[in-house]
Amino acid sequence: WPYCRKRCSYCNFNAYVVQAVDEAAVRTCLVREAQTLLRLSQVHSVTSVFFGGGTPSLASPRTVAAVLEAVAGAAHLPGGAEVTLEANPSSTITSRLAGFRAAGVNRLSIGVQSLNDAELRMLGRDHTAAEARKAVETARGLFPGRTSIDLLFGLPGQSLDAWAQRLEAALRFCDDHISLYQLTLERGTVLAAQVHRGALPAPSQDLLADMYQTAREVLVATGFRHYEVSNFARKGALSTHNLSYWCADEYIGVGPGAHGRFVLRGEGGCSREARVQTLEPIAWMREVQSQGHGTRSRVVLNPLEQLEELLTLGLRTDEGITHERWGHFSPHLSLQAVFGDPGEARALQQEGWLVLDSSGLRCTWAGLAVLDSLLPDLLWQLQR
Amino acid sequence: QEKLDMSTYPVESIRNFSIIAHVDHGKSTLADRLLEITGTISKTDRNKQVLDKLQVERERGITVKAQSASLFYNHEGINYLLNLIDTPGHVDFSYEVSRSLSACQGVLLVVDANEGIQAQTVANFYLAFEAQLSIIPVINKIDLKNADPERVEKQIEKLFDIPTDECVRISAKHGTNVEKVLQKVIEKIPPPQCNIADPLKALVFDSTFDHYRGVIANIALFGGEIAKGQKIVSAHTKKRYEVNEVGILTPNEQPTHKLYAGQVGYLIAGMKEVAEAQIGDTLFLYKQPVEPLPGFKSVKPMVFAGMYPVDQTEYNNLKSALERLTLNDSSVTVHRDSSLALGAGWRLGFLGLLHMEVFNQRLEQEYDMSVILTAPTVPYKAVLSSAKLIKEYGKDQITIINPAQFPDKFSVSEYLEPTVLGTIVTPHEYIGKIITLCQDRRAVQKDMLYIDENRVMLKYLFPLNEIVVDFYDVLKSLSSGYASFDYEDAGYQSADLIKMDILLNGNPVEELATIIHSDKAHAAGKLLCERLKETIPRQLFEIAIQAAIGKKIIARETLKPYRKNVVAKCYGGDITRRMKLLKRQAEGKRLMRKIGNVEVPRDAFIRVLRRETDK
């Protein structure tokens, strides 16, 4: 759902703020595209559905229901499949959550971002900390054990202590899943411009490292499992949907700007494609209406490219890449064959950043924090 | 086009003169006015620096290449031929100035009525004085509010011993009194002393390269005559040529039948490179050799800089651009050179910093090339004491222009550095700061005298390397622009030189090694380390950046390792973008220079080696 009520100061997503949305038209197109793409992929069973955006909680439960119905109609959607909705904790949300549950949502991801009103204002959010807390509590009532919150750290001017306090505050009422993101100042955003011209201070690299380290330690001590660079879960409440990205499973993106990775078996294809849907909603709708789907680009990924994605994504998780998973994409060249001999991976292992053993290839606790410094070497080794 | 007949101008009706002045005192503007008054060019508003043909000259307001123009003027019934030889107005080009002056019998010494005598006024005066030329002082810009011609005339009298009534007060901009200047030229400057009957003796005082016609040499005849078809010889190269064309410059080329003794013009004789028509050379007729004119000097570069293409794929383009540009500038010396970091390039020798900057600007403007200029170096020398090295080089004294060639102190009995004698003219309120600056640059004071109640002239002996980078700019800013500077070669002096290495985690970075005086090593080392710290990206381990002399560390900076470097979000849409970036980084790693285990991107070297002004 690409629409938002306002643009946050740090956001550079494919999101649109418009006066009025013809929800019926958008709904029809989402349904149509979902059906078309499912048919093209000939997927048997859908393991998870994720409603993202924009602000999906601005859509009506009716739209959510229609899409889920379409999915169930074109493929098998098991009763226990994870269906997540991203929600903004603004004032109106609490009353609508029940409606979403009725429509089929069974997991909620709330964009809390910060529990400090001044910080929320700097971020350009349209809710207060109190409203966020209320929303989380309501959500926990409706989706117990399946409510996640998003938090940002490394805000301009935020001290290590302030961050520690935010985290403590959040831990007091959060559920079993937290996504913790370091704020990235993207070019073209209001916040980046403010920092660039000196109106706001930029946090130092060392401070960000400290904040991340503190967060990891605190969360692990509180019983969370740090299962991906930015994602923490306890009592097994991992996000199935996101895990499928990091294992390089197949996924179909529906709606403006959505991304997908799947094989077009319906066209007789056998290669995994990287696909992106048309970004701009009006253009996307036109394409869906005339052709059944609005796919802006599709690129076949060759085996090397698929492995590169698997490597880059898999190493973000604590389990890393298992031998079986690697074998699925590379039946003839094992992890051991690529990374076992003396070379970059071996050197990184010796320095304590990486582990290659009988389970597979993964980062160590320290290595996960500097993964992007390890990847270029590994990619180069893989290419060779 | 009809060829002019120059025989109608006997020697007595000829005046060869030049205009000399300090920068911006109005030399070129006066030349513009003289050209207009004599009808050589039509009087329009657009006549500005007419003789400055190069774009860079017009932009910077300086004359780089000397031009000449022949003016015709009728005074009291007689048709006179006045040859105006424009000269480069900058320190770097004093040799060119002296050669142009040797073709003249007099000069107009232009002095700004407000600024008064400046360093180059003095330097140029002495050049003219030593050449025994008549000197006509011209006080310019009298139209400006702060003009004080009387004060300037007194300065001239005091410093140059020229009576005040010989000065002409003008405004070149408005043309005021400029006609009087022409009359003074005729009255006060003697005609050339030479004879048409003598064998040909011509001085080359400049040359340019034209793609269609070859080398065009500016010549002044000291005897005899020259015409198309004649066979001439260069005293310096001993090569023989046949004359294709002779003529005068008005200021464009106008062919004539002949040129006669005492006259100034140009010659085209099938020369292919300007090196064949070197400034100061003498030309004579085949089989009629003459005593070469004195004062010829082979080009001696004062400043060297490494020049590299920004990317090695541009190498060939830069090579041809350099070849074409040096066609027209024989005072640039070119040696091939290479650097581990920057690839294949050149080490170019220039007459001075301005020469180098102008050259670089011409490369950019006329050939659309951007290059990397490394820090300028000077030609150090070493007197070898090691028998092995002496044998290897074939002599016991070598010139070192690349730090990699620096022989260590055990093989050397003495190191030498080039020096210059610098003249600074400044208002007295800046003396203190300037003296401190000079002392800071290891200069030794040789003279200090008041040229009038307000201003002082200081003479200092400087090591050349202390002034090549930014001395002039610092001097200007210290003195709010009022101080002026000029210098001349003063030979070599003994110096305590060392080679400073830069180490990353103990491993030396060859391309950053520099030769430096031991007094300055610490400061330079510290600066280099700081700059490197800012340009090398952080890595997974700590990096020690050190400056060292032999085994001794003299400066150090530490680059701490990364503790977090992983992108926060990586879902659906982010993945493609992430892959692109990572793959680019993986590619980039292959191109990185690895010093030990430290990865240094190529542009880190560029940013560190680049001259300050290029940043």
Side-chain angles (χ1 to χ4, degrees):
Chain A
W1 190 258
Y3 303 102
C4 289
R5 255 209 289 266
K6 66 184 264 217
R7 185 175 279 274
C8 302
S9 66
Y10 59 94
C11 171
N12 75 333
F13 291 157
N14 187 44
Y16 300 81
V17 179
V18 297
Q19 292 291 37
V21 176
D22 183 351
E23 182 155 358
V26 181
R27 174 167 57 240
T28 312
C29 289
L30 286 172
V31 163
R32 176 104 189 269
E33 185 168 69
Q35 289 166 336
T36 313
L37 294 179
L38 277 165
R39 233 177 290 127
L40 276 175
S41 72
Q42 293 208 333
V43 151
H44 290 305
S45 172
V46 172
T47 49
S48 63
V49 181
F50 191 97
F51 288 88
T55 311
S57 51
L58 285 177
S60 68
R62 183 167 161 202
T63 299
V64 169
V67 171
L68 289 172
E69 216 179 284
V71 172
H76 177 55
L77 181 61
E82 180 188 88
V83 178
T84 314
L85 179 84
E86 273 188 335
N88 228 19
S90 53
S91 51
T92 55
I93 198 63
T94 36
S95 53
R96 294 148 55 85
L97 287 178
F100 283 118
R101 190 176 70 165
V105 172
N106 55 36
R107 185 171 175 271
L108 204 70
S109 171
I110 306 183
V112 173
Q113 316 307 356
S114 164
L115 286 168
N116 173 283
D117 285 339
E119 285 178 2
L120 285 168
R121 273 194 301 274
M122 175 173 60
L123 294 172
R125 302 291 289 171
D126 65 351
H127 57 91
T128 64
E131 284 167 348
R133 185 181 180 140
K134 185 130 178 289
V136 174
E137 281 164 3
T138 310
R140 287 185 71 188
L142 290 163
F143 310 98
R146 306 192 90 190
T147 301
S148 171
I149 63 170
D150 280 4
L151 283 176
L152 290 173
F153 70 89
L155 272 49
Q158 191 182 53
S159 69
L160 186 56
D161 280 334
W163 165 238
Q165 281 167 37
R166 307 283 169 268
L167 197 51
E168 293 294 322
L171 283 170
R172 269 178 252 135
F173 60 84
C174 70
D175 201 6
D176 294 330
H177 190 282
I178 299 184
S179 296
L180 216 56
Y181 299 115
Q182 178 177 309
L183 176 67
T184 320
L185 293 166
E186 302 278 9
R187 220 159 47 144
T189 61
V190 167
L191 200 59
Q194 286 175 313
V195 172
H196 185 70
R197 64 164 189 268
L200 287 173
S204 77
Q205 291 298 318
D206 286 325
L207 178 59
L208 293 170
D210 285 335
M211 286 182 175
Y212 186 59
Q213 205 50 34
T214 305
R216 292 172 94 183
E217 286 165 9
V218 168
L219 287 170
V220 166
T222 324
F224 283 84
R225 172 181 156 193
H226 186 186
Y227 74 97
E228 191 265 355
V229 171
S230 301
N231 286 280
F232 301 78
R234 60 184 168 191
K235 303 185 202 146
L238 284 73
S239 163
T240 313
H241 192 85
N242 290 338
L243 274 174
S244 65
Y245 289 137
W246 302 316
C247 297
D249 274 338
E250 285 187 58
Y251 50 96
I252 299 172
V254 176
H259 286 245
R261 294 281 189 279
F262 59 92
V263 178
L264 275 78
R265 294 180 198 82
E267 282 181 1
C270 54
S271 308
R272 183 183 169 95
E273 285 185 12
R275 300 168 67 96
V276 186
Q277 306 313 97
T278 299
L279 267 63
E280 208 280 311
I282 311 250
W284 170 78
M285 280 197 274
R286 249 185 278 127
E287 285 167 47
V288 174
Q289 278 151 5
S290 65
Q291 284 144 19
H293 64 109
T295 305
R296 176 50 52 89
S297 91
R298 45 184 288 209
V299 176
V300 169
L301 294 173
N302 63 43
L304 175 61
E305 286 167 333
Q306 292 179 37
L307 281 175
E308 285 171 345
E309 284 196 353
L310 177 62
L311 185 68
T312 306
L313 297 167
L315 285 177
R316 293 178 67 89
T317 61
D318 60 352
E319 283 188 348
I321 308 151
T322 61
H323 291 291
E324 302 91 294
R325 194 70 199 136
W326 183 265
H328 176 80
F329 288 92
S330 175
H332 306 298
L333 201 63
S334 69
L335 273 175
Q336 190 63 35
V338 178
F339 298 112
D341 289 337
E344 288 85 340
R346 186 76 92 74
L348 292 172
Q349 270 195 86
Q350 279 161 357
E351 285 160 32
W353 306 113
L354 215 56
V355 170
L356 174 62
D357 61 14
S358 54
S359 311
L361 180 72
R362 63 189 174 283
C363 285
T364 59
W365 172 262
L368 196 61
V370 292
L371 176 60
D372 289 353
S373 298
L374 312 176
L375 281 171
D377 272 346
L378 295 173
L379 284 169
W380 175 223
Q381 189 172 19
L382 174 63
Q383 279 169 17
R384 285 203 316 270
Chain B
Q1 198 188 18
E2 271 272 318
K3 279 198 189 172
L4 277 183
D5 182 2
M6 297 306 289
S7 64
T8 59
Y9 292 93
V11 164
E12 311 81 58
S13 315
I14 298 175
R15 302 289 184 272
N16 296 326
F17 69 104
S18 193
I19 310 178
I20 57 179
H22 186 82
V23 166
D24 281 348
H25 278 202
K27 179 168 72 64
S28 295
T29 316
L30 176 56
D32 292 341
R33 286 295 93 68
L34 292 175
L35 288 166
E36 278 172 13
I37 289 184
T38 53
T40 314
I41 58 177
S42 57
K43 193 173 158 65
T44 71
D45 292 328
R46 281 179 275 114
N47 287 335
K48 281 201 167 66
Q49 290 176 262
V50 175
L51 293 181
D52 291 334
K53 290 191 184 143
L54 294 178
Q55 177 186 0
V56 64
E57 289 177 329
R58 302 170 83 83
E59 277 179 8
R60 284 175 169 244
I62 56 174
T63 304
V64 175
K65 287 191 77 56
Q67 307 283 351
S68 77
S70 295
L71 320 174
F72 300 96
Y73 185 63
N74 188 296
H75 178 61
E76 291 174 0
I78 305 179
N79 279 334
Y80 288 95
L81 170 59
L82 308 174
N83 293 314
L84 163 59
I85 298 168
D86 202 13
T87 57
H90 191 274
V91 283
D92 288 357
F93 308 110
S94 63
Y95 174 63
E96 281 79 355
V97 174
S98 76
R99 289 311 87 212
S100 297
L101 291 184
S102 65
C104 304
Q105 285 75 50
V107 293
L108 297 173
L109 179 64
V110 180
V111 188
D112 183 313
N114 174 34
E115 279 202 7
I117 293 183
Q118 295 292 326
Q120 266 165 57
T121 319
V122 175
N124 283 324
F125 167 79
Y126 281 121
L127 280 176
F129 187 74
E130 279 155 26
Q132 294 176 314
L133 305 179
S134 303
I135 300 172
I136 301 172
V138 174
I139 317 243
N140 189 22
K141 306 198 192 181
I142 55 174
D143 55 300
L144 292 180
K145 212 171 59 145
N146 291 325
D148 189 353
E150 205 177 299
R151 192 187 102 239
V152 179
E153 282 166 4
K154 287 213 179 74
Q155 279 179 356
I156 292 175
E157 187 169 46
K158 172 160 178 199
L159 211 61
F160 302 144
D161 210 11
I162 299 177
T164 51
D165 60 11
E166 291 198 20
C167 300
V168 185
R169 300 183 186 188
I170 68 167
S171 161
K173 188 160 107 183
H174 297 134
T176 319
N177 245 351
V178 176
E179 187 121 24
K180 187 124 197 303
V181 170
L182 275 174
Q183 289 160 6
K184 276 268 192 188
V185 166
I186 292 172
E187 286 161 27
K188 292 282 178 181
I189 296 181
Q193 293 289 308
C194 47
N195 205 327
I196 305 180
D198 286 341
L200 172 67
K201 188 176 192 177
L203 166 76
V204 177
F205 63 90
D206 198 9
S207 61
T208 50
F209 182 81
D210 180 288
H211 265 103
Y212 301 107
R213 295 144 88 212
V215 175
I216 304 175
N218 287 51
I219 56 171
L221 270 75
F222 281 64
E225 55 183 55
I226 190 165
K228 177 172 167 155
Q230 285 177 319
K231 301 214 185 349
I232 56 168
V233 179
S234 149
H236 177 62
T237 65
K238 314 275 190 287
K239 281 179 153 174
R240 203 189 328 161
Y241 303 96
E242 185 179 307
V243 180
N244 291 331
E245 184 180 317
V246 296
I248 59 169
L249 296 166
T250 58
N252 298 318
E253 287 122 32
Q254 241 210 318
T256 64
H257 290 284
K258 289 189 186 188
L259 280 176
Y260 299 91
Q263 295 180 347
V264 169
Y266 71 91
L267 156 102
I268 300 179
M271 293 164 182
K272 306 265 187 338
E273 306 181 319
V274 293
E276 297 179 68
Q278 286 197 29
I279 294 176
D281 197 3
T282 306
L283 301 171
F284 51 83
L285 284 175
Y286 183 51
K287 294 269 203 290
Q288 293 187 54
V290 300
E291 192 66 32
L293 291 157
F296 176 80
K297 272 196 298 187
S298 229
V299 155
K300 184 150 140 250
M302 294 286 245
V303 166
F304 288 90
M307 184 174 283
Y308 295 85
V310 171
D311 190 89
Q312 282 293 280
T313 59
E314 288 287 297
Y315 179 85
N316 284 322
N317 288 340
L318 182 53
K319 179 162 182 275
S320 15
L322 280 180
E323 281 167 3
R324 298 205 309 273
L325 199 52
T326 51
L327 271 181
N328 239 328
D329 190 348
S330 63
S331 50
V332 176
T333 58
V334 181
H335 296 275
R336 272 213 278 264
D337 200 2
S338 71
S339 145
L340 282 169
L342 304 170
W346 296 266
R347 199 149 278 263
L348 303 172
F350 299 97
L351 300 175
L353 210 57
L354 178 74
H355 188 197
M356 174 166 82
E357 288 177 7
V358 165
F359 189 84
N360 190 36
Q361 194 171 343
R362 289 184 70 185
L363 255 183
E364 281 179 22
Q365 286 175 344
E366 293 167 42
Y367 297 90
D368 200 23
M369 290 245 61
S370 347
V371 298
I372 301 164
L373 275 181
T374 64
T377 60
V378 297
Y380 292 107
K381 289 197 188 191
V383 179
L384 300 169
S385 60
S386 142
K388 174 165 163 267
L389 284 180
I390 293 176
K391 189 159 172 216
E392 204 181 297
Y393 284 106
K395 48 192 166 153
D396 67 346
Q397 194 183 93
I398 56 164
T399 305
I400 314 156
I401 53 179
N402 191 329
Q405 300 171 304
F406 192 76
D408 68 52
K409 62 181 186 223
F410 302 110
S411 317
V412 165
S413 60
E414 196 187 12
Y415 291 111
L416 301 162
E417 62 178 348
T419 63
V420 294
L421 186 64
T423 305
I424 301 170
V425 176
T426 172
H428 65 178
E429 55 260 41
Y430 303 108
I431 295 178
K433 284 199 230 179
I434 291 177
I435 290 181
T436 307
L437 173 64
C438 294
Q439 284 172 342
D440 187 51
R441 300 299 174 109
R442 300 194 288 122
V444 171
Q445 195 182 91
K446 292 291 177 186
D447 200 358
M448 175 161 141
L449 79 106
Y450 273 83
I451 56 175
D452 63 29
E453 318 86 65
N454 293 319
R455 291 178 329 134
V456 182
M457 181 165 81
L458 298 154
K459 281 198 189 271
Y460 271 88
L461 185 69
F462 289 90
L464 178 61
N465 81 307
E466 293 295 337
I467 58 168
V468 287
V469 179
D470 62 355
F471 179 79
Y472 187 71
D473 294 318
V474 174
L475 179 72
K476 280 289 184 190
S477 91
L478 267 186
S479 63
S480 304
Y482 285 107
S484 65
F485 183 66
D486 197 354
Y487 66 87
E488 64 192 49
D489 180 18
Y492 277 81
Q493 74 185 9
S494 206
D496 197 0
L497 300 175
I498 47 109
K499 178 176 166 213
M500 183 172 73
D501 287 312
I502 300 293
L503 310 171
L504 291 178
N505 279 351
N507 296 302
V509 184
E510 242 190 80
E511 44 276 64
L512 294 176
T514 46
I515 300 172
I516 198 167
H517 191 275
S518 65
D519 290 349
K520 296 285 172 138
H522 176 77
K526 187 154 179 289
L527 182 65
L528 257 176
C529 289
E530 281 168 7
R531 273 210 226 161
L532 261 178
K533 182 176 173 178
E534 284 162 29
T535 50
I536 296 180
R538 292 169 87 166
Q539 285 164 53
L540 291 169
F541 42 81
E542 188 173 277
I543 300 175
I545 304 170
Q546 297 164 317
I549 303 173
K551 291 208 167 37
K552 183 159 161 239
I553 307 290
I554 58 170
R556 184 194 162 121
E557 291 289 330
T558 311
L559 189 60
K560 298 233 262 303
Y562 260 130
R563 289 168 42 229
K564 181 173 193 288
N565 182 26
V566 60
V567 78
K569 287 197 183 197
C570 209
Y571 306 106
D574 309 311
I575 297 173
T576 314
R577 210 170 33 153
R578 203 71 207 116
M579 291 315 301
K580 272 201 202 125
L581 184 59
L582 282 170
K583 294 216 278 196
R584 243 206 331 260
Q585 285 176 345
E587 266 299 301
K589 286 227 165 186
R590 295 173 51 197
L591 301 172
M592 289 235 201
R593 178 104 169 80
K594 226 167 161 175
I595 313 260
N597 57 354
V598 179
E599 275 163 356
V600 186
R602 254 200 58 203
D603 84 325
F605 288 127
I606 291 165
R607 283 190 275 160
V608 166
L609 287 172
R610 201 158 213 158
R611 291 184 56 232
E612 285 286 355
T613 55
D614 286 333
K615 287 196 207 255

